[in-house]
Amino acid sequence: MIILGIETSCDETAAAIVKNGVEVLSSSVASSEEIHKKYGGIIPEKAAREQLKSIIPVIKETLLKANLSFPKGVFEIDAIAVTVGPGLIGSLLVGVETAKTLAWLWKKPIIPVNHLIAHFYGNFLNNKTMEQLSNETIFPAVCLIVSGGHTELVLMKDHGKFLWIGGTRDDAAGECFDKTARLLGLGYPGGPAISAKAAIANETMKQLSNETIKLPRPMINDDSFDFSFSGLKTAVLNRIKNTKLTNPLITNQLAFEIQEAIADVLVKKTLKAAEKFNVKSILIGGGVAANDRLREKLKLDTRCPSFGSGNSTRLIQPCSKPDPSAGRQMPDARLFVPDKKFCTDNAAMIASAAYFNYHPVPWQKIKADPGLEITQIA
Ligand code: KG4
Ligand code: ZN
């Protein structure tokens, strides 16, 4: 089955063609990030206007890349999938109304997709290991979604069976990267900016041995699966209140510690959930899942090889022999790490989610829903 996915929930306009939920035939993304950079965050009206400019060219481009250009190639598309929420209303409307129009015009079924659930499906894209595994060997899985607007832990019992187990009580992990980067004058988006400075700090740490910066890891030992990142932002603010950030060594070390603190909390809670629910796999998704240090810490703490499509150390064997020296033993849990381009917003994950949760709806009933949540389907 060939699905055209359309994603316009925020500042990316994306379209993709995916075969059987796993094989990406083409994926195109246009971003208005450059426009928002000078404001230090996304301006919803500007994002919506850019969506409108980009939507048709992006869909055309992805059809062309997959050799399915209009009109002949369109016959080969079996269905259209579109993000209906959560997201910015102006942006969502562009994708939703375009998808509905195309579904009517081309007489294709249309599947509404929850953007958050779609992030899980980044793990299934172009991932040969995943393809070879049966559902029984993948599920139950614990999924960590970490993006600019969300930090959610979800137990995925099967395709279409989700149990939300925790989330952030205030700022999302990506938001914390973005806000602390702004405090440090590092620009937007904050995640990659912090990550780049943290890498420099790692190299030059010895030069700062007399001044080690330590930040809190909020709620790390708390019993729940919830998160809180606003305290971390305040701690950074307090740390720099009386300091002129003229010494790049301090900025870099702060960036390093911010990244460590966020990754430590995310990893600890994810592994706690994996243990409690005795899962067979750990999936990650969302823009922050592209963070190298988070990926590395997850790999180290599970002591498992990762099976991500974006990972060069892809192994076929699960981590069946736990390392006795490991602090934690996750004998049967596989860690999946999506290709970085499928962590940040894209439309291939939308098409994949629609394939594995195939519920077409008459186009007249499809509406953008900016506040859409993860519905409990257990
Ligand atoms: O999933 P996404 O592309 O859009 C939303 O749905 O929000 O996530 C965007 C977020 C931003 O907060 C950005 O700073 C963060 O993901 N991000 C990263 C990295 N790349 C993007 N955070 C940490 N490390 C990265 N490499
Ligand atoms: Zn997203």
Side-chain angles (χ1 to χ4, degrees), residues 195-210:
S195 196
K197 295 292 178 197
I200 301 171
N202 207 13
E203 296 294 314
T204 53
M205 204 67 97
K206 286 181 207 95
Q207 299 171 43
L208 268 176
S209 51
N210 56 347

mmCIF file with all atom_site columns, all heavy atoms in Angstrom, residues 195-210:
data_model
loop_
_atom_site.group_PDB
_atom_site.id
_atom_site.type_symbol
_atom_site.label_atom_id
_atom_site.label_alt_id
_atom_site.label_comp_id
_atom_site.label_asym_id
_atom_site.label_entity_id
_atom_site.label_seq_id
_atom_site.pdbx_PDB_ins_code
_atom_site.Cartn_x
_atom_site.Cartn_y
_atom_site.Cartn_z
_atom_site.occupancy
_atom_site.B_iso_or_equiv
_atom_site.pdbx_formal_charge
_atom_site.auth_seq_id
_atom_site.auth_comp_id
_atom_site.auth_asym_id
_atom_site.auth_atom_id
_atom_site.pdbx_PDB_model_num
ATOM 1   N N   . SER A 1 195 ? 23.704 21.667 21.908 1.00 0.00 ? 195 SER A N   1
ATOM 2   C CA  . SER A 1 195 ? 24.461 20.453 21.640 1.00 0.00 ? 195 SER A CA  1
ATOM 3   C C   . SER A 1 195 ? 25.849 20.784 21.058 1.00 0.00 ? 195 SER A C   1
ATOM 4   O O   . SER A 1 195 ? 26.855 20.180 21.454 1.00 0.00 ? 195 SER A O   1
ATOM 5   C CB  . SER A 1 195 ? 23.648 19.632 20.638 1.00 0.00 ? 195 SER A CB  1
ATOM 6   O OG  . SER A 1 195 ? 24.097 18.355 20.589 1.00 0.00 ? 195 SER A OG  1
ATOM 7   N N   . ALA A 1 196 ? 25.885 21.760 20.152 1.00 0.00 ? 196 ALA A N   1
ATOM 8   C CA  . ALA A 1 196 ? 27.167 22.135 19.532 1.00 0.00 ? 196 ALA A CA  1
ATOM 9   C C   . ALA A 1 196 ? 28.115 22.732 20.571 1.00 0.00 ? 196 ALA A C   1
ATOM 10  O O   . ALA A 1 196 ? 29.303 22.392 20.617 1.00 0.00 ? 196 ALA A O   1
ATOM 11  C CB  . ALA A 1 196 ? 26.915 23.139 18.406 1.00 0.00 ? 196 ALA A CB  1
ATOM 12  N N   . LYS A 1 197 ? 27.596 23.597 21.448 1.00 0.00 ? 197 LYS A N   1
ATOM 13  C CA  . LYS A 1 197 ? 28.451 24.206 22.481 1.00 0.00 ? 197 LYS A CA  1
ATOM 14  C C   . LYS A 1 197 ? 28.877 23.147 23.502 1.00 0.00 ? 197 LYS A C   1
ATOM 15  O O   . LYS A 1 197 ? 30.000 23.184 24.008 1.00 0.00 ? 197 LYS A O   1
ATOM 16  C CB  . LYS A 1 197 ? 27.708 25.340 23.204 1.00 0.00 ? 197 LYS A CB  1
ATOM 17  C CG  . LYS A 1 197 ? 27.368 26.511 22.306 1.00 0.00 ? 197 LYS A CG  1
ATOM 18  C CD  . LYS A 1 197 ? 28.618 27.262 21.861 1.00 0.00 ? 197 LYS A CD  1
ATOM 19  C CE  . LYS A 1 197 ? 28.280 28.403 20.925 1.00 0.00 ? 197 LYS A CE  1
ATOM 20  N NZ  . LYS A 1 197 ? 29.418 28.910 20.172 1.00 0.00 ? 197 LYS A NZ  1
ATOM 21  N N   . ALA A 1 198 ? 27.976 22.224 23.815 1.00 0.00 ? 198 ALA A N   1
ATOM 22  C CA  . ALA A 1 198 ? 28.301 21.159 24.772 1.00 0.00 ? 198 ALA A CA  1
ATOM 23  C C   . ALA A 1 198 ? 29.455 20.312 24.254 1.00 0.00 ? 198 ALA A C   1
ATOM 24  O O   . ALA A 1 198 ? 30.326 19.889 25.019 1.00 0.00 ? 198 ALA A O   1
ATOM 25  C CB  . ALA A 1 198 ? 27.073 20.294 25.026 1.00 0.00 ? 198 ALA A CB  1
ATOM 26  N N   . ALA A 1 199 ? 29.471 20.099 22.951 1.00 0.00 ? 199 ALA A N   1
ATOM 27  C CA  . ALA A 1 199 ? 30.547 19.285 22.364 1.00 0.00 ? 199 ALA A CA  1
ATOM 28  C C   . ALA A 1 199 ? 31.886 20.005 22.522 1.00 0.00 ? 199 ALA A C   1
ATOM 29  O O   . ALA A 1 199 ? 32.910 19.377 22.812 1.00 0.00 ? 199 ALA A O   1
ATOM 30  C CB  . ALA A 1 199 ? 30.250 19.020 20.888 1.00 0.00 ? 199 ALA A CB  1
ATOM 31  N N   . ILE A 1 200 ? 31.872 21.334 22.372 1.00 0.00 ? 200 ILE A N   1
ATOM 32  C CA  . ILE A 1 200 ? 33.121 22.104 22.550 1.00 0.00 ? 200 ILE A CA  1
ATOM 33  C C   . ILE A 1 200 ? 33.549 22.014 24.018 1.00 0.00 ? 200 ILE A C   1
ATOM 34  O O   . ILE A 1 200 ? 34.721 21.819 24.332 1.00 0.00 ? 200 ILE A O   1
ATOM 35  C CB  . ILE A 1 200 ? 32.931 23.584 22.132 1.00 0.00 ? 200 ILE A CB  1
ATOM 36  C CG1 . ILE A 1 200 ? 32.496 23.662 20.667 1.00 0.00 ? 200 ILE A CG1 1
ATOM 37  C CG2 . ILE A 1 200 ? 34.212 24.387 22.371 1.00 0.00 ? 200 ILE A CG2 1
ATOM 38  C CD1 . ILE A 1 200 ? 32.081 25.056 20.210 1.00 0.00 ? 200 ILE A CD1 1
ATOM 39  N N   . ALA A 1 201 ? 32.560 22.148 24.927 1.00 0.00 ? 201 ALA A N   1
ATOM 40  C CA  . ALA A 1 201 ? 32.867 22.089 26.361 1.00 0.00 ? 201 ALA A CA  1
ATOM 41  C C   . ALA A 1 201 ? 33.519 20.762 26.716 1.00 0.00 ? 201 ALA A C   1
ATOM 42  O O   . ALA A 1 201 ? 34.473 20.695 27.487 1.00 0.00 ? 201 ALA A O   1
ATOM 43  C CB  . ALA A 1 201 ? 31.594 22.280 27.176 1.00 0.00 ? 201 ALA A CB  1
ATOM 44  N N   . ASN A 1 202 ? 32.993 19.716 26.109 1.00 0.00 ? 202 ASN A N   1
ATOM 45  C CA  . ASN A 1 202 ? 33.517 18.385 26.375 1.00 0.00 ? 202 ASN A CA  1
ATOM 46  C C   . ASN A 1 202 ? 35.010 18.325 26.057 1.00 0.00 ? 202 ASN A C   1
ATOM 47  O O   . ASN A 1 202 ? 35.789 17.712 26.781 1.00 0.00 ? 202 ASN A O   1
ATOM 48  C CB  . ASN A 1 202 ? 32.735 17.383 25.516 1.00 0.00 ? 202 ASN A CB  1
ATOM 49  C CG  . ASN A 1 202 ? 32.718 16.014 26.134 1.00 0.00 ? 202 ASN A CG  1
ATOM 50  O OD1 . ASN A 1 202 ? 33.082 15.861 27.304 1.00 0.00 ? 202 ASN A OD1 1
ATOM 51  N ND2 . ASN A 1 202 ? 32.308 15.036 25.375 1.00 0.00 ? 202 ASN A ND2 1
ATOM 52  N N   . GLU A 1 203 ? 35.375 18.990 24.984 1.00 0.00 ? 203 GLU A N   1
ATOM 53  C CA  . GLU A 1 203 ? 36.779 19.017 24.560 1.00 0.00 ? 203 GLU A CA  1
ATOM 54  C C   . GLU A 1 203 ? 37.638 19.846 25.511 1.00 0.00 ? 203 GLU A C   1
ATOM 55  O O   . GLU A 1 203 ? 38.795 19.542 25.744 1.00 0.00 ? 203 GLU A O   1
ATOM 56  C CB  . GLU A 1 203 ? 36.894 19.636 23.157 1.00 0.00 ? 203 GLU A CB  1
ATOM 57  C CG  . GLU A 1 203 ? 36.204 18.847 22.063 1.00 0.00 ? 203 GLU A CG  1
ATOM 58  C CD  . GLU A 1 203 ? 36.873 17.506 21.847 1.00 0.00 ? 203 GLU A CD  1
ATOM 59  O OE1 . GLU A 1 203 ? 38.107 17.494 21.773 1.00 0.00 ? 203 GLU A OE1 1
ATOM 60  O OE2 . GLU A 1 203 ? 36.151 16.485 21.788 1.00 0.00 ? 203 GLU A OE2 1
ATOM 61  N N   . THR A 1 204 ? 37.042 20.935 26.016 1.00 0.00 ? 204 THR A N   1
ATOM 62  C CA  . THR A 1 204 ? 37.862 21.905 26.759 1.00 0.00 ? 204 THR A CA  1
ATOM 63  C C   . THR A 1 204 ? 37.625 21.851 28.267 1.00 0.00 ? 204 THR A C   1
ATOM 64  O O   . THR A 1 204 ? 38.063 22.727 28.994 1.00 0.00 ? 204 THR A O   1
ATOM 65  C CB  . THR A 1 204 ? 37.530 23.339 26.282 1.00 0.00 ? 204 THR A CB  1
ATOM 66  O OG1 . THR A 1 204 ? 36.125 23.513 26.377 1.00 0.00 ? 204 THR A OG1 1
ATOM 67  C CG2 . THR A 1 204 ? 37.980 23.605 24.877 1.00 0.00 ? 204 THR A CG2 1
ATOM 68  N N   . MET A 1 205 ? 36.917 20.802 28.721 1.00 0.00 ? 205 MET A N   1
ATOM 69  C CA  . MET A 1 205 ? 36.499 20.740 30.124 1.00 0.00 ? 205 MET A CA  1
ATOM 70  C C   . MET A 1 205 ? 37.654 20.923 31.105 1.00 0.00 ? 205 MET A C   1
ATOM 71  O O   . MET A 1 205 ? 37.499 21.564 32.133 1.00 0.00 ? 205 MET A O   1
ATOM 72  C CB  . MET A 1 205 ? 35.797 19.402 30.384 1.00 0.00 ? 205 MET A CB  1
ATOM 73  C CG  . MET A 1 205 ? 34.861 19.440 31.539 1.00 0.00 ? 205 MET A CG  1
ATOM 74  S SD  . MET A 1 205 ? 33.485 20.518 31.168 1.00 0.00 ? 205 MET A SD  1
ATOM 75  C CE  . MET A 1 205 ? 32.294 19.325 30.639 1.00 0.00 ? 205 MET A CE  1
ATOM 76  N N   . LYS A 1 206 ? 38.797 20.392 30.744 1.00 0.00 ? 206 LYS A N   1
ATOM 77  C CA  . LYS A 1 206 ? 39.937 20.437 31.674 1.00 0.00 ? 206 LYS A CA  1
ATOM 78  C C   . LYS A 1 206 ? 40.300 21.875 32.037 1.00 0.00 ? 206 LYS A C   1
ATOM 79  O O   . LYS A 1 206 ? 40.708 22.174 33.138 1.00 0.00 ? 206 LYS A O   1
ATOM 80  C CB  . LYS A 1 206 ? 41.137 19.734 31.053 1.00 0.00 ? 206 LYS A CB  1
ATOM 81  C CG  . LYS A 1 206 ? 40.980 18.239 31.050 1.00 0.00 ? 206 LYS A CG  1
ATOM 82  C CD  . LYS A 1 206 ? 42.208 17.566 30.457 1.00 0.00 ? 206 LYS A CD  1
ATOM 83  C CE  . LYS A 1 206 ? 41.816 16.238 29.862 1.00 0.00 ? 206 LYS A CE  1
ATOM 84  N NZ  . LYS A 1 206 ? 41.537 16.352 28.423 1.00 0.00 ? 206 LYS A NZ  1
ATOM 85  N N   . GLN A 1 207 ? 40.111 22.773 31.085 1.00 0.00 ? 207 GLN A N   1
ATOM 86  C CA  . GLN A 1 207 ? 40.470 24.173 31.329 1.00 0.00 ? 207 GLN A CA  1
ATOM 87  C C   . GLN A 1 207 ? 39.594 24.806 32.415 1.00 0.00 ? 207 GLN A C   1
ATOM 88  O O   . GLN A 1 207 ? 39.873 25.874 32.898 1.00 0.00 ? 207 GLN A O   1
ATOM 89  C CB  . GLN A 1 207 ? 40.304 24.974 30.041 1.00 0.00 ? 207 GLN A CB  1
ATOM 90  C CG  . GLN A 1 207 ? 41.202 24.478 28.927 1.00 0.00 ? 207 GLN A CG  1
ATOM 91  C CD  . GLN A 1 207 ? 40.843 25.153 27.621 1.00 0.00 ? 207 GLN A CD  1
ATOM 92  O OE1 . GLN A 1 207 ? 40.612 26.326 27.591 1.00 0.00 ? 207 GLN A OE1 1
ATOM 93  N NE2 . GLN A 1 207 ? 40.799 24.369 26.553 1.00 0.00 ? 207 GLN A NE2 1
ATOM 94  N N   . LEU A 1 208 ? 38.506 24.136 32.741 1.00 0.00 ? 208 LEU A N   1
ATOM 95  C CA  . LEU A 1 208 ? 37.572 24.726 33.701 1.00 0.00 ? 208 LEU A CA  1
ATOM 96  C C   . LEU A 1 208 ? 37.491 23.927 34.992 1.00 0.00 ? 208 LEU A C   1
ATOM 97  O O   . LEU A 1 208 ? 36.548 24.050 35.737 1.00 0.00 ? 208 LEU A O   1
ATOM 98  C CB  . LEU A 1 208 ? 36.170 24.757 33.087 1.00 0.00 ? 208 LEU A CB  1
ATOM 99  C CG  . LEU A 1 208 ? 35.776 26.028 32.349 1.00 0.00 ? 208 LEU A CG  1
ATOM 100 C CD1 . LEU A 1 208 ? 34.416 25.839 31.744 1.00 0.00 ? 208 LEU A CD1 1
ATOM 101 C CD2 . LEU A 1 208 ? 35.762 27.222 33.294 1.00 0.00 ? 208 LEU A CD2 1
ATOM 102 N N   . SER A 1 209 ? 38.522 23.119 35.215 1.00 0.00 ? 209 SER A N   1
ATOM 103 C CA  . SER A 1 209 ? 38.427 22.166 36.321 1.00 0.00 ? 209 SER A CA  1
ATOM 104 C C   . SER A 1 209 ? 38.146 22.835 37.663 1.00 0.00 ? 209 SER A C   1
ATOM 105 O O   . SER A 1 209 ? 37.587 22.234 38.557 1.00 0.00 ? 209 SER A O   1
ATOM 106 C CB  . SER A 1 209 ? 39.702 21.332 36.400 1.00 0.00 ? 209 SER A CB  1
ATOM 107 O OG  . SER A 1 209 ? 40.789 22.205 36.395 1.00 0.00 ? 209 SER A OG  1
ATOM 108 N N   . ASN A 1 210 ? 38.523 24.110 37.821 1.00 0.00 ? 210 ASN A N   1
ATOM 109 C CA  . ASN A 1 210 ? 38.272 24.762 39.112 1.00 0.00 ? 210 ASN A CA  1
ATOM 110 C C   . ASN A 1 210 ? 36.861 25.354 39.194 1.00 0.00 ? 210 ASN A C   1
ATOM 111 O O   . ASN A 1 210 ? 36.471 25.893 40.188 1.00 0.00 ? 210 ASN A O   1
ATOM 112 C CB  . ASN A 1 210 ? 39.319 25.847 39.395 1.00 0.00 ? 210 ASN A CB  1
ATOM 113 C CG  . ASN A 1 210 ? 39.344 26.856 38.263 1.00 0.00 ? 210 ASN A CG  1
ATOM 114 O OD1 . ASN A 1 210 ? 38.775 26.595 37.224 1.00 0.00 ? 210 ASN A OD1 1
ATOM 115 N ND2 . ASN A 1 210 ? 40.012 27.966 38.485 1.00 0.00 ? 210 ASN A ND2 1
#
